[in-house]
Amino acid sequence: MSAAANELIAPRRKSVAVSVGGIVVGGDAPVVVQSMTNTDTADIAATVTQVAALARAGSELVRITVDRDAAAKAVPHIRDKLEAMGCNVPLVGDFHYIGHTLLADNPACAEALAKYRINPGNVGFKDKKDRQFSSIIEMAIRCAKPVRIGVNWGSLDQELLTRLMDENATSPDPKDARAVMHEAMVLSGLHSAERAEELGLGADEIIISAKVSAIQDLIAVYSALARRCDYALHLGLTEAGMGSKGIVASSAAMGILLQQGIGDTIRFSLTPEPGGDRTVEVQTAQELLQTMGLRSFVPIVAACPGCGRTTSTVFQELARDIQNMIRERMPDWKSRYPGVETLNLAVMGCIVNGPGESRHADVGISLPGTGETPAAPVFIDGKKSITLRGPAIAAEFKAIVEDYIEKRFGAGSSIQ
């Protein structure tokens, strides 16, 4: 975390650390980014391809649906194929309704997964609920796997909600229905976690989530959870939606909670465009954490928004090209240049803020605006280094960035 973030963001809530396949969630560990596949898990090839893509994009945990016997039987093969590719991202099994049966009937699946997700709202009903919940917890204990107690308002424990509503109706100081729903979400998670501990699962093997789809509800529920327990918390706005709506809603909700020091792992539950790129949810989660100063994943590019002074599209094209270059080159840079993710670049479009913004970056360029002299000064570490001219400005600036990265972050680093 940057010094600025340390000063402005509330101290991180102290939660119990949980190891998920070697990835630490909670405690003093950085906030973990995770995602979920939308392939049929029984389709081994498709699922392996998508898990690998999510992992390459930076997902540190990947959840897969385990909804039937064919899916459960596919899990160990998926794990084997990923490992053969050198992809060791931990897999989380998402169980609903029949998780107890699938785990009992498929011990290889139980072993191959790094964590189990249980929904207390549909793990079982009436007299079957505790028995089936206990069965999953006991399997987790035998296989030494952590568990996420994943409450969701769309499948909230109706017996619990009804009881709380009835109690509220007879209370001398009744709350509104929304507040009762919040309490039901919190109690569903806490009671399930407490029951798991009674069965022998450690607090360092439990993560809680309590997902809703409205921002204010999410903030209220997680704020209450943070006050009332020290379990690691997984944040996510469920059914966030498509495109900018889903990104804005998720960022607003989780950004507020993270600013308060709440949250140990996050997921952006975005609806992709038909056939769209699933890795967008990973990129947006990373961008939230990086723009808040909580983690660094890729170099940041500050770019001019454009105005009447910037009728040329040159600065837009260069900003796009630099952004694309970072995404394409980052896998190689990450292995060769430790620390490169902290790099700050600037691509500016006119003389008003261009030179000043460029000086604040590690490497910045101030392109000429409308009517300005056709020259582009480049600033390195706050000092003007060179002025570029002509049709090859973009290629020359990219070469300058690559050279700077080699000098600053390479094995023979000469820039301090």
Side-chain angles (χ1 to χ4, degrees), residues 36 63 94 96 117 119 122 148 150-156 181 185 209-219 221-222 234-242 245-254 257 265-272 278 281:
M36 184 176 184
R63 184 158 46 115
D94 194 57
H96 298 274
R117 184 277 174 110
N119 185 337
N122 59 32
R148 168 152 72 97
V151 183
N152 191 299
W153 80 317
S155 51
L156 184 57
M181 187 272 287
M185 294 283 295
S209 67
K211 294 187 176 182
V212 296
S213 58
I215 293 173
Q216 298 301 336
D217 291 331
L218 193 83
I219 294 166
V221 170
Y222 274 95
H234 166 76
L235 302 186
L237 191 73
T238 191
E239 291 95 36
M242 183 178 285
K245 184 269 178 185
I247 293 171
V248 170
S250 294
S251 298
M254 288 189 280
L257 290 166
T265 176
I266 66 171
R267 181 200 171 199
F268 271 60
S269 299
L270 303 178
T271 304
R278 191 68 165 179
E281 68 175 48

Side-chain angles (χ1 to χ4, degrees), residues 58-101:
S59 186
E60 293 157 302
L61 303 174
V62 177
R63 184 158 46 115
I64 59 176
T65 297
V66 187
D67 59 342
R68 64 194 193 280
D69 196 61
K73 284 182 166 46
V75 170
H77 299 291
I78 292 167
R79 178 73 277 162
D80 288 345
K81 288 183 179 296
L82 288 167
E83 289 179 355
M85 297 166 57
C87 179
N88 297 309
V89 65
L91 297 178
V92 178
D94 194 57
F95 294 99
H96 298 274
Y97 303 106
I98 58 170
H100 60 292
T101 300

Side-chain angles (χ1 to χ4, degrees), residues 3 7 15 51 60 69 72 81 102 137 159 162-163 228 275 281 300 339 354 394 409:
E7 294 173 2
S15 60
V51 170
E60 293 157 302
D69 196 61
K81 288 183 179 296
L102 293 174
I137 297 300
E159 288 184 57
T162 299
R163 177 172 64 80
R228 293 161 66 175
E281 68 175 48
I300 288 179
F409 300 104

Side-chain angles (χ1 to χ4, degrees), residues 169-233:
T170 60
S171 169
D173 185 22
K175 303 173 183 176
D176 64 31
R178 188 177 179 188
V180 177
M181 187 272 287
H182 294 170
E183 181 66 6
M185 294 283 295
V186 172
L187 287 181
S188 180
L190 293 181
H191 288 173
S192 298
E194 289 163 5
R195 178 57 180 148
E197 286 203 66
E198 288 174 2
L199 293 165
L201 198 67
D204 62 346
E205 298 170 301
I206 297 172
I207 297 171
I208 294 181
S209 67
K211 294 187 176 182
V212 296
S213 58
I215 293 173
Q216 298 301 336
D217 291 331
L218 193 83
I219 294 166
V221 170
Y222 274 95
S223 296
L225 271 173
R227 288 192 303 269
R228 293 161 66 175
C229 76
D230 59 2
Y231 296 113
L233 298 180

